[in-house]
């Protein structure tokens, strides 16, 4: 059947860096995107959709960099509207890839045609054909050209089939059926997919792209596979617009755990890398994972009740349908002490899904040994937190030289900071309703006059990285600039990690400030959504 996919496999098309990154506030820097792409390559997905190059120069550069640097047989895809300018930018960005994959789309439902595109069905069909042919001519016969009919599940099925037939004739090798607004129900979606497979399945791979507005994205995706779809579009942690996309880990583990429901079918995903991928994406985007999230939630393999614990001890099969090891949760927790060597650390990191060497290994080693001095036990979670912290590093134009705070019950707190801002040393002090508030106010006063804005804090979270009273605190903040407002405002996250939570809070605030400033001056090659382009994203 599916000509572009080896028989017996479902192609895993990961769109964490495109649709996932469109989740409001999930913006990543180009360096962070590259870090995620490397992890996706280790996870062995088949296709990485790296972004939407026409959205902004930052998006273009991020896609091109991922295309250039991703090796090992993973295809790199870029999205483009069927509109003059978009496909050309996408082609330019991905043509350096080992395996380029062009993804063009246009909406086909009457609602979208009438109210968004203001086009007739005939015009949309003509544009679809035109840009698929353009891609085929520019990229040649061997490159994957994918066409998506946006809002397919609310499109008149006869028109939808007409569009898919036409684009395959024009050269599309994959046709994607997006349930853009998460409206479909599994049986009905499976039937629609079956009709598309019957029409074009001999000449093209049929793909699905399901959103989770009714909580059915995974169910719809699996129904589609049973109906003959051989590419699934998914994101790590189900990240994505609104309620998100079908979750990679759920779809992949369902295929693996229920072989009788998906006879002779599997994915090439290295499932032991799932936990590392999930943690990295959560960390970099600042989207925490709910504890009861399937596969990757903190409680996914925890057994609380006595009856369950007793059963699992006697035989894990009583209450576990897959092993924690199969998704990369290592059984051991105690990992490193003051006397551990670099090699031991490297091996442990590899076990946790991270290949670290050279300078990065040295730096993590130094931090881990310092941590082993500060707390009794350095656990897997501590090590993962150190690795993730490095992945999010940004060039610092604002650095902290010193801080102090006084705080007592019932009164206001006073905070003082000294920072350097673009080489200039500045100090400020102020009061606040707590120590963090006072210190953040002092930072604002110190940097505001130089930068012309101060950060506006839109979220602040703190969690302990591991158990115990000496645990490291990890602080997540999300900020925008005071000079921006509205839905398209650039929003970034920042993390801090320390056994001192005030220090972790300051560190997180400074990371966010440096990301905002870096995006402004171009030192952080932002893959961030520029406000104007944000409105245009699919
Ligand atoms: O949800 C959607 O329709 C999309 C398409 C661009 C594939 O993301
Ligand atoms: Zn989507």
């Amino acid at each position: 059947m599916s000509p572009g996919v080896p028989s017996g496999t479902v192609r895993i098309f990961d769109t964490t860096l495109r649709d996932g990154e469109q989740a409001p506030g999930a913006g990543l820097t180009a360096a962070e995107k590259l870090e995620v792409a490397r992890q996706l390559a280790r996870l062995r997905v088949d296709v990485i959709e790296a972004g939407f190059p026409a959205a902004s120069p930052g998006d273009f550069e991020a896609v091109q960099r991922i295309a250039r640097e991703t090796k090992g047989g993973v295809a790199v895809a870029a999205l483009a509207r069927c509109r003059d300018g978009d496909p050309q930018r996408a082609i330019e960005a991905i043509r350096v890839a080992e395996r380029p994959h062009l993804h063009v789309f246009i909406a086909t439902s009457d609602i979208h045609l009438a109210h968004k595109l203001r086009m007739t069905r005939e015009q949309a069909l003509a544009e679809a054909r035109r840009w698929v042919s353009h891609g085929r001519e520019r990229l040649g016969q061997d490159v994957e050209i994918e066409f998506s009919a946006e809002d397919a599940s609310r499109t008149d099925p006869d028109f939808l089939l007409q569009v898919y037939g036409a684009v395959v004739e024009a050269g599309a090798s994959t046709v994607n059926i997006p349930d853009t607004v998460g409206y479909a129900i599994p049986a009905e979606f499976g039937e629609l997919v079956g009709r598309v497979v019957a029409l074009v399945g001999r000449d093209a791979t049929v793909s699905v792209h399901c959103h989770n507005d009714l909580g059915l994205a995974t169910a719809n995706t699996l129904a589609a596979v049973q109906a003959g779809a051989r590419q699934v579009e998914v994101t790590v942690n189900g990240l994505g617009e609104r309620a998100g996309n079908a979750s990679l880990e759920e779809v992949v583990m369902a295929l693996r755990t229920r072989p009788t429901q998906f006879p002779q079918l599997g994915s090439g995903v290295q499932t032991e890398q799932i936990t590392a991928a999930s943690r990295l994406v959560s960390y970099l985007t600042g989207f925490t994972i709910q504890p009861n999230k399937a596969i990757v939630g903190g409680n996914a393999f925890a057994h609380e009740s006595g009856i369950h614990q007793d059963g699992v001890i006697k035989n894990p099969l009583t209450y576990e349908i897959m092993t924690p090891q199969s998704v990369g949760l290592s059984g051991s927790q105690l990992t490193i002490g003051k006397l551990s060597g670099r090699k031991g650390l490297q091996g442990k990191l590899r076990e946790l899904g991270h290949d670290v060497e050279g300078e990065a290994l040295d730096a993590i080693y130094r931090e881990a040994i310092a941590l082993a001095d500060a707390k009794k036990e350095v656990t897997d979670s501590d090590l993962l937190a150190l690795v993730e912290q490095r992945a999010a590093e940004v060039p610092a134009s604002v650095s902290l030289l010193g801080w102090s705070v006084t705080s007592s019950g019932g009164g206001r707190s006073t905070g003082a900071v000294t920072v350097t801002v673009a080489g200039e040393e500045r100090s400020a002090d102020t009061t606040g309703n707590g120590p963090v508030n006072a210190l953040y106010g002092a930072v604002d006063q110190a940097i505001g006059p130089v930068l012309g804005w101060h950060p506006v804090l839109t979220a602040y979270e703190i969690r302990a990285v591991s158990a115990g009273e000496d645990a490291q605190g990890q602080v997540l903040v999300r900020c925008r600039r005071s000079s921006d407002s509205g839905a398209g405002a650039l929003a970034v996250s920042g993390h801090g990690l320390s056994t001192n939570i005030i220090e972790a809070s300051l560190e997180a605030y400074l990371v966010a400030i440096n990301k905002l400033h870096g995006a402004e001056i171009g030192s952080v090659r932002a893959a961030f959504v520029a406000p104007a382009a944000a409105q245009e994203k699919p």
Side-chain angles (χ1 to χ4, degrees), residues 15 18-19 22 178-180 209-211 233 241-242 244-245 538:
T15 182
R18 200 277 298 169
D19 219 338
Q22 282 173 222
D179 182 24
T180 303
H209 174 111
C210 298
H211 279 269
E233 302 198 351
E241 292 261 19
R242 307 182 309 279
N245 289 57

Side-chain angles (χ1 to χ4, degrees), residues 235-377:
T235 60
V236 173
N237 299 337
L239 190 70
E241 292 261 19
R242 307 182 309 279
N245 289 57
S247 129
L248 177 147
E249 59 278 6
E250 291 173 15
V251 171
V252 165
M253 290 312 285
L255 292 178
R256 180 177 158 153
T257 308
R258 299 302 311 276
T260 54
Q261 294 300 306
F262 306 97
Q264 322 286 322
L265 270 183
S267 77
V269 165
Q270 195 76 33
T271 60
E272 291 76 12
Q273 292 285 341
I274 283 178
T275 298
S278 161
R279 285 191 54 126
L280 184 69
V281 168
S282 164
Y283 182 85
L284 294 177
T285 57
F287 276 53
T288 41
I289 302 165
Q290 77 202 53
N292 57 335
K293 163 82 181 64
I295 319 289
V296 292
N299 290 349
F301 292 91
H303 303 281
E304 185 76 23
S305 88
I307 297 172
H308 286 209
Q309 285 177 348
D310 181 52
V312 170
I313 290 165
K314 287 177 178 146
N315 184 342
L317 284 177
T318 50
Y319 288 102
E320 279 179 4
I321 58 168
M322 56 203 140
T323 65
Q325 288 76 15
S326 66
V327 297
L329 275 171
S330 97
S332 78
Q333 279 301 311
L334 189 60
T335 59
I336 190 164
K338 276 183 265 183
L339 300 177
S340 306
R342 268 182 189 64
K343 275 260 168 290
L345 173 67
Q346 191 175 32
K348 184 71 215 178
L349 291 175
R350 199 163 288 140
E351 220 178 88
L352 294 172
H354 293 276
D355 254 324
V356 188
E357 50 191 18
E359 222 177 274
L361 178 64
D362 290 347
I364 293 170
Y365 180 71
R366 277 195 302 276
E367 286 163 12
I369 293 299
L371 192 59
D373 260 336
K375 68 195 288 278
K376 285 197 293 274
E377 294 172 350

Side-chain angles (χ1 to χ4, degrees), residues 13 15 18-19 22 49 79-80 103-106 112 146-152 176-182 209-211 233 241-242 245 538:
F13 177 113
T15 182
R18 200 277 298 169
D19 219 338
Q22 282 173 222
E49 187 165 48
L79 182 69
H103 182 187
V104 296
F105 78 98
I106 194 164
H112 278 235
E146 172 170 345
F147 169 79
S148 283
E150 192 187 12
D151 206 16
N176 185 35
I177 312 173
D179 182 24
T180 303
V181 289
H209 174 111
C210 298
H211 279 269
E233 302 198 351
E241 292 261 19
R242 307 182 309 279
N245 289 57

Side-chain angles (χ1 to χ4, degrees), residues 17 49 103 158 162 194 198 350 357 378 384 418 434 443 455 478 519 527:
L17 293 174
E49 187 165 48
H103 182 187
D158 292 333
Q162 188 189 348
R350 199 163 288 140
E357 50 191 18
V378 179
L384 285 168
T418 302
V443 171
R478 199 186 298 283

